[in-house]
């Protein structure tokens, strides 16, 4: 059974600091996703990582994927208050060789304080 | 390009009632998936429909069912509602062979 673990689950940061969120998954998966969720809102897609060594950056967020270690990281550079949200990673299962469904981690609730 | 549309946005139902939620995918997307989000269990997969066929199903009781129409719109139904069914229900659409899942705004269901 595919499991996805994120840590930390809660993260309180000061503005201007850097930090990394980790996402481990238990079995092979083709793709890894990062989403952002603001309170009471839906999931906003941040990154889709498709291959080993993939790195994607958008603004102050950078995501990477190591499929051999089954690990993805979401690095936050010089945090600002607007980044306060819950961040989820998710991996795709396979169903008999075809695309399956997303398995989500529990999410990392990020709070950026002045 | 319109996004994924879910209706209604909010629902309050009484235990024992049934409810139907609707999801209209992005135009051209033929796959629709449903997820339940609760504070305790997080985001859990309910089922996925593709070309009017259920292709994949999560570990939920038979009270949870769904269907997809020829225009790719999907509905999910929950019968005999329980307090624990209170959740945010999200649907996501994707196109065949695509990588991205686009989520709708969700339906917040409260069972009292």
């Amino acid at each position: 059974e595919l499991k996805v673990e994120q840590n930390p689950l809660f993260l309180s940061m000061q503005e201007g600091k850097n930090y990394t969120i980790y996402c481990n998954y238990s079995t092979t998966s083709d793709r890894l996703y990062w989403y952002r969720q603001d309170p009471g809102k839906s999931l906003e897609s941040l990154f889709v990582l498709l291959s080993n060594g993939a790195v994607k950056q958008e603004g102050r967020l950078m995501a990477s994927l190591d499929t051999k270690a089954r690990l993805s990281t979401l690095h936050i550079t010089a945090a600002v208050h607007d980044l306060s949200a819950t961040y989820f990673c998710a991996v795709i299962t396979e169903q008999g060789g075809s695309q399956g469904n997303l398995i989500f981690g529990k999410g990392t609730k990020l709070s950026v304080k002045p | 390009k319109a996004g994924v549309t879910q209706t209604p946005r909010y629902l309050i139902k009484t235990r024992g009632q049934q409810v139907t939620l609707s999801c209209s995918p992005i135009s051209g997307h033929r796959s629709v998936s449903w997820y339940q989000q609760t504070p305790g269990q997080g985001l859990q997969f309910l089922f996925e429909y593709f070309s009017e066929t259920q292709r994949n199903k999560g570990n939920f009781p038979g009270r949870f069912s769904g269907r997809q129409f020829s225009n790719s719109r999907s509905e999910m139904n929950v019968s005999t509602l329980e307090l624990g069914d209170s959740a945010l229900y999200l649907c996501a659409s994707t196109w065949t062979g695509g990588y991205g899942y686009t989520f709708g705004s969700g339906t917040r269901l409260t069972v009292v």
Side-chain angles (χ1 to χ4, degrees):
Chain A
E1 182 190 346
L2 179 55
K3 292 185 180 178
V4 181
E5 289 188 358
Q6 279 182 247
N7 69 83
L9 298 182
F10 297 93
L11 179 54
S12 182
M13 296 177 64
Q14 277 195 308
E15 279 191 330
K17 299 291 188 184
N18 305 332
Y19 210 84
T20 301
I21 299 171
Y22 297 89
C23 175
N24 289 91
Y25 52 101
S26 60
T27 63
T28 304
S29 177
D30 281 346
R31 289 168 245 160
L32 190 133
Y33 299 78
W34 284 97
Y35 287 93
R36 168 183 171 144
Q37 187 177 41
D38 292 295
K41 304 287 187 180
S42 187
L43 297 171
E44 175 191 350
S45 179
L46 294 174
F47 304 108
V48 182
L49 302 169
L50 301 177
S51 60
N52 187 43
V55 177
K56 290 197 174 180
Q57 182 162 6
E58 179 75 34
R60 299 173 188 275
L61 301 177
M62 183 173 72
S64 66
L65 179 62
D66 181 343
T67 57
K68 292 175 183 169
R70 296 177 188 158
L71 171 69
S72 180
T73 60
L74 181 65
H75 186 73
I76 303 156
T77 302
V80 293
H81 179 70
D82 283 353
L83 290 179
S84 297
T86 300
Y87 293 85
F88 292 92
C89 65
V91 296
I92 193 89
T93 64
E94 276 200 356
Q95 293 287 120
S98 63
Q99 179 172 296
N101 54 275
L102 294 172
I103 303 292
F104 285 86
K106 291 195 178 296
T108 296
K109 187 171 182 179
L110 171 66
S111 176
V112 181
K113 301 182 187 303
Chain B
K1 189 176 180 181
V4 179
T5 303
Q6 289 188 248
T7 57
R9 290 294 307 277
Y10 302 93
L11 267 178
I12 300 176
K13 290 286 188 179
T14 305
R15 270 183 302 175
Q17 287 187 311
Q18 75 165 22
V19 68
T20 300
L21 312 182
S22 178
C23 173
S24 293
I26 290 172
S27 178
H29 287 195
R30 293 167 64 192
S31 168
V32 174
S33 305
W34 290 88
Y35 291 83
Q36 181 196 64
Q37 186 177 26
T38 60
Q41 299 300 316
L43 281 151
Q44 293 184 286
F45 171 72
L46 282 155
F47 27 65
E48 184 221 356
Y49 286 87
F50 179 80
S51 292
E52 301 179 64
T53 301
Q54 187 182 87
R55 191 162 65 172
N56 201 356
K57 188 177 188 305
N59 189 24
F60 277 81
R63 300 185 296 108
F64 291 82
S65 62
R67 58 179 175 168
Q68 187 179 35
F69 301 94
S70 59
N71 61 357
S72 294
R73 188 177 73 86
S74 178
E75 289 181 347
M76 69 163 278
N77 185 76
V78 188
S79 63
T80 319
L81 284 165
E82 301 176 0
L83 294 178
D85 297 332
S86 295
L88 179 65
Y89 290 87
L90 294 165
C91 82
S93 75
T94 187
W95 57 277
T96 308
Y99 300 121
Y101 288 82
T102 303
F103 283 83
S105 299
T107 294
R108 171 81 58 187
L109 172 64
T110 303
V111 182
V112 296

